[in-house]
Amino acid sequence: MSIVTVQLGQCGNQIGHEVFNVICGDVHGTHGLCSKKENGSYHDACKERFFSEEESEVPVARAVLVDMEPKVISQTLSIAARSGYWKYDDRSHFCQKQGSGNNWANGYSVHGPRHKEVIMDLVQKEAEKCDRLSGFFTIMSMAGGTGSGLGAFVTQCLRDAFPTSFILNHVIWPYGTGEVIVQNYNSVLTLSHLYQSSDALLVHENDVIHKICAQLMNIKQISFRDVNQVIAHQLGSVFQPTYTAEGGLHYSRNPLGDLMETLVPHPEFKMLGLRNIPQMPENSLAYSTFSWPGLIKHLRQMLIANAKMEEGIDWQVRPPRLGSSIPSSQSTNKPLHFNTSVANLVILRGKDTHSIDLGSFRDPSLYTSWLNPQDAFNAWKTPRAFNKYEKSASLVSNSQFLAYIHQYTKFGIEEEDFLDSFTALEQVISSYSIL
């Protein structure tokens, strides 16, 4: 089944372009480290997901590009076309001459209704090119006006127009130091609106990715492109084909549906975080070796200590003993040291994935008490290596990692929209806190 990607605003379009680049680079790489037959199945599954063949010599991305300014879209179209490996459809984009001025209301209440028909017509045409539509993957920033405001509006339109299709929103949490003076307002409004329409929200934090660029990738002068490439690598590590069942004969047919079924057992809990290991500069890969037990041990501790990368993990954090009660004050006033999960998905790619022991992720103490740990944990695997890494592991988790959001709900604002948004978010935060 196919995924239609909707790239919204400057951030969404730049990340979307890097995602298709990573996917294409992975498919064209000669480093699959698996049989020719396996590699062929992987290629076919990937192309059906993300590209349509059409009449062109190169695959065409299943994507709609939307921005209120023309500059980024025209750059994105031209860079993709020049790559020679893939391109965007020249007719699948929409832009205007004037942006949203970092104003959420401008994107949501002005640009959205004004351009709804044209944008949804482009989406409809892209959906009709799919033999079987799995759903929509939207990419947007929460800080600006177009990605956040227009993005929230378009997500609601997608829900209305495609009630049975899955919608996964990928959102970029802004730098804590502030990119835009009104980013806190934009973020709260975006989150609360997306929570009503989306099946799940996959969150990347700019501060975390910046740290990965500096400490793991050894980049001295970090650009937005560096940040976007790390995000794209992590997304590719989840969305490229895998076997979702032990001994499966076919790659997953419904990528978004399988993701939702695995990770979103209840509509109140739909915030997903993503971790990926190892991550390092390409020129270091040849000199590095990794064992599966070591990777799995690190990934599990990253989860329970809520670490976003393998450096600086707090190894002192341990799961609570089953049956011991945690004082209620700890979930409200004190920092949450242990990160309780609703559901976890580990994705393993590369050599010897069949022999890996994942029992440590089935430990009942990792999960909330109202779910059976056997249902709360899943593993997807493929012997096909990803993006030059002989072995790599990704963890998509539905857990308490979003507890930091409470710091954005401290504004004394009386407008009804903000109060509604705060109420919705406080309910979400409360639900996660009492897991």
Side-chain angles (χ1 to χ4, degrees), residues 244 261-263 265 322 341-345 358-380:
T244 54
E261 184 184 348
T262 304
L263 288 164
L322 282 178
S341 297
V342 175
N344 288 307
L345 166 65
L358 292 168
S360 62
F361 276 97
R362 294 190 171 88
D363 178 352
S365 63
L366 300 187
Y367 299 94
T368 180
S369 57
W370 50 264
L371 265 182
N372 180 343
Q374 300 308 312
D375 299 328
F377 175 71
N378 282 273
W380 298 352

Side-chain angles (χ1 to χ4, degrees), residues 188-399:
V188 167
L189 289 164
T190 305
L191 263 188
S192 64
H193 280 74
L194 290 181
Y195 227 80
Q196 295 163 36
S197 321
S198 180
D199 289 299
L201 285 81
L202 183 56
V203 182
H204 267 113
E205 301 163 64
N206 267 340
D207 287 314
V208 168
I209 304 301
H210 198 93
K211 221 183 241 184
I212 289 172
C213 288
Q215 295 179 22
L216 301 184
M217 309 303 282
N218 298 327
I219 300 169
K220 301 289 178 266
Q221 300 285 322
I222 299 167
S223 67
F224 274 119
R225 184 158 191 229
D226 296 322
V227 169
N228 293 344
Q229 284 176 337
V230 170
I231 291 171
H233 174 83
Q234 293 199 356
L235 292 173
S237 75
V238 172
F239 286 112
Q240 283 292 63
T242 52
Y243 297 109
T244 54
E246 200 67 54
L249 298 173
H250 299 287
Y251 279 111
S252 157
R253 294 290 170 84
N254 186 1
L256 290 182
D258 290 337
L259 207 61
M260 305 305 171
E261 184 184 348
T262 304
L263 288 164
V264 189
H266 188 285
E268 185 64 41
F269 300 97
K270 50 171 107 170
M271 298 281 285
L272 308 179
L274 172 53
R275 296 167 175 86
N276 172 259
I277 60 172
Q279 287 184 126
M280 59 177 56
E282 195 174 308
N283 56 11
S284 303
L285 283 172
Y287 309 103
S288 308
T289 53
F290 299 95
S291 73
W292 281 121
L295 289 173
I296 297 306
K297 182 181 178 183
H298 274 75
L299 202 57
R300 181 181 186 266
Q301 192 63 23
M302 285 165 71
L303 169 68
I304 63 179
N306 196 22
K308 300 303 192 316
M309 58 184 193
E310 59 264 45
E311 263 189 30
I313 301 173
D314 184 351
W315 290 93
Q316 303 305 310
V317 179
R318 291 280 179 269
R321 288 192 306 278
L322 282 178
S324 67
S325 61
I326 300 174
S328 59
S329 63
Q330 187 170 328
S331 63
T332 49
N333 301 327
K334 296 178 186 172
L336 288 169
H337 293 299
F338 175 74
N339 182 31
T340 304
S341 297
V342 175
N344 288 307
L345 166 65
V346 168
I347 302 170
L348 306 171
R349 300 176 182 276
K351 290 171 70 176
D352 307 324
T353 52
H354 56 279
S355 59
I356 301 165
D357 177 12
L358 292 168
S360 62
F361 276 97
R362 294 190 171 88
D363 178 352
S365 63
L366 300 187
Y367 299 94
T368 180
S369 57
W370 50 264
L371 265 182
N372 180 343
Q374 300 308 312
D375 299 328
F377 175 71
N378 282 273
W380 298 352
K381 303 175 184 177
T382 173
R384 210 271 189 189
F386 172 67
N387 211 9
K388 301 188 176 66
Y389 286 81
E390 183 184 75
K391 295 173 182 150
S392 62
S394 300
L395 170 68
V396 192
S397 55
N398 186 340
S399 68

Side-chain angles (χ1 to χ4, degrees), residues 414-430:
E414 293 170 7
E415 282 84 348
E416 195 177 334
D417 269 348
F418 276 103
L419 287 178
D420 287 348
S421 299
F422 289 151
T423 305
L425 280 192
E426 279 165 357
Q427 178 56 53
V428 171
I429 294 162
S430 164

